[in-house]
Amino acid sequence: MTCDVPFRVLLVGDASNTSAELANALAAEPIEIRAAENAEEALAQNRLEPCDLVITALMLSGSTSGLELVQSFKAEWPETRIVVLADFGTIPMAVEAMRLGADDYLTKPLDMVLLHTDVRDASERHRLREENRRLRDRLDRAGELPEMIGQSVAFRNLITQVHRVASTDLTVLIEGENGTGKELVARAIHRLSPRCNGPFIAANVGAMPDTLIESELFGYERGAFSGALRRKHGWFELARGGTLLLDELDEMPAKAQVDLLRILEQRVLRRVGGEELVPIDVRLVVTVQHDAEALVAEGRLREDLYYRLNVVPIRIPPLRERRDDVPLLVLHFLKEAERRHHREPKQIAGVAMRRLCDYSWPGNIRQLRNFMERLAVTVDGPVIHADDLPAEIHSNPIPILTHSEPLTLDAAVQDAEKRAIRAALAQCNNHREHTAALLGISVRALQYKLNRYSIS
């Protein structure tokens, strides 16, 4: 999906000599290339309109060095990717720039393959960031909860699936455990779809008595049964022109499943007690708590209905498969609870954060949010320690750690980065080139991070 905000590259110092090569590297992308003669000009430009990638020489004119420029960018714009250019005499400075936060360094004469790789990596990160921003903006405008945040591979894959399916009118089958955010994903699909101006009707099938499901789904006519004093529109009619979410479809009785299948195939319905055929115009999203194929095998979901619904399947991973996202979610929910309950800001000790990361979270994101709200209210001091955590958190053994300092946002991000690197190494059988490609960084940047975090 093309980003509304163009990918911006800022060239500093004699890095401007690479402008033609960069234009060729991203000829098909919406790219803006800018140039600055020195660090002061680069910082001034970026404060007016931030860029996504900085390519800078180390030896710059003016009072600010290339190393100081790297530090300033990482302090003000930590998401901006930075590549430094070095010749033989400045390689030690380039290594120091990596320690200060640069993502890669290239030696002169430039290897254009490596340059293109760095640029495309930054462009892909820009695209993902814009997708996340657009989704959160739309959800915020709709008044939704802002839980859809994360940086793990599983989370990014989910966001990509949501964007791909939202622009279509296909039926979506969402699988996910309780508390993973199935309704939130369904609402995101609706808000990003061409039907966003239409209604979104969320119907919890699992909470509906069997005797009422048919009349709730399809509506009824006056006099259809005792107590039917007027015509009532069902969920399908209420959602006309928009999206209908049938939540917990695995709890729907067999008779209602047959009726639902007929409606989907014929695209018309008949209200209970009525004769008129009413056309339906909805985008259908259904959710199940368990594996849909297993439900079919157990006889809880009709096979023909399953094949009719399973046009676009989306599986929401449980939180235990998104451990890299736990530190960000923990800090987000803690700050949210502090604001809501007017509490002083708190920090989280390193051991406490690691216990939260290592817990299995059977209740998923909903459980994590409730835990952080409890901690925000019940912990009196400025730091949440491991002893402050509920007893169930301590049921999972974790490695013995030697430090318990409050975990800042930067430390939380570093912790998540280490976990992501270890997971990628395991997935790629310790093949460094494949691991770097999976993480979206260069091999040199991966080697630097391996050394920095003492990962063997």
Side-chain angles (χ1 to χ4, degrees), residues 26-75:
L26 286 177
E29 300 285 343
I31 180 174
E32 288 184 9
I33 300 177
R34 302 171 184 168
E37 292 185 2
N38 52 47
E40 291 82 2
E41 183 181 344
L43 292 169
Q45 283 194 34
N46 212 62
R47 289 181 182 120
L48 291 175
E49 202 166 29
C51 65
D52 304 287
L53 172 65
V54 174
I55 300 178
T56 179
L58 287 169
M59 307 302 293
L60 300 175
S61 61
S63 59
T64 304
S65 69
L67 293 180
E68 291 171 327
L69 177 65
V70 171
Q71 285 182 298
S72 297
F73 260 90
K74 283 303 178 181

Side-chain angles (χ1 to χ4, degrees), residues 390-455:
E392 55 262 47
I393 296 295
H394 297 281
S395 62
N396 286 26
I398 63 172
I400 298 176
L401 301 172
T402 58
H403 61 283
S404 59
E405 73 279 2
L407 193 64
T408 64
L409 178 59
D410 182 60
V413 171
Q414 289 184 26
D415 184 73
E417 189 173 58
K418 285 186 284 187
R419 290 173 177 271
I421 291 173
R422 290 192 179 101
L425 283 168
Q427 184 174 338
C428 298
N429 296 321
N430 291 327
H431 192 291
R432 299 198 180 195
E433 287 78 7
H434 294 172
T435 300
L438 180 63
L439 293 170
I441 60 178
S442 69
V443 176
R444 184 182 289 113
L446 173 63
Q447 184 60 54
Y448 170 78
K449 293 179 185 296
L450 293 175
N451 295 335
R452 179 186 184 188
Y453 296 133
S454 300
I455 299 175

Side-chain angles (χ1 to χ4, degrees), residues 358-395:
D358 290 331
Y359 183 57
S360 61
W361 297 109
N364 293 294
I365 293 177
R366 184 185 297 134
Q367 181 188 14
L368 173 59
R369 182 179 186 179
N370 292 339
F371 271 32
M372 298 316 300
E373 186 159 26
R374 183 196 312 180
L375 293 171
V377 173
T378 59
V379 176
D380 293 327
V383 179
I384 297 174
H385 296 283
D387 292 342
D388 297 318
L389 302 179
E392 55 262 47
I393 296 295
H394 297 281
S395 62

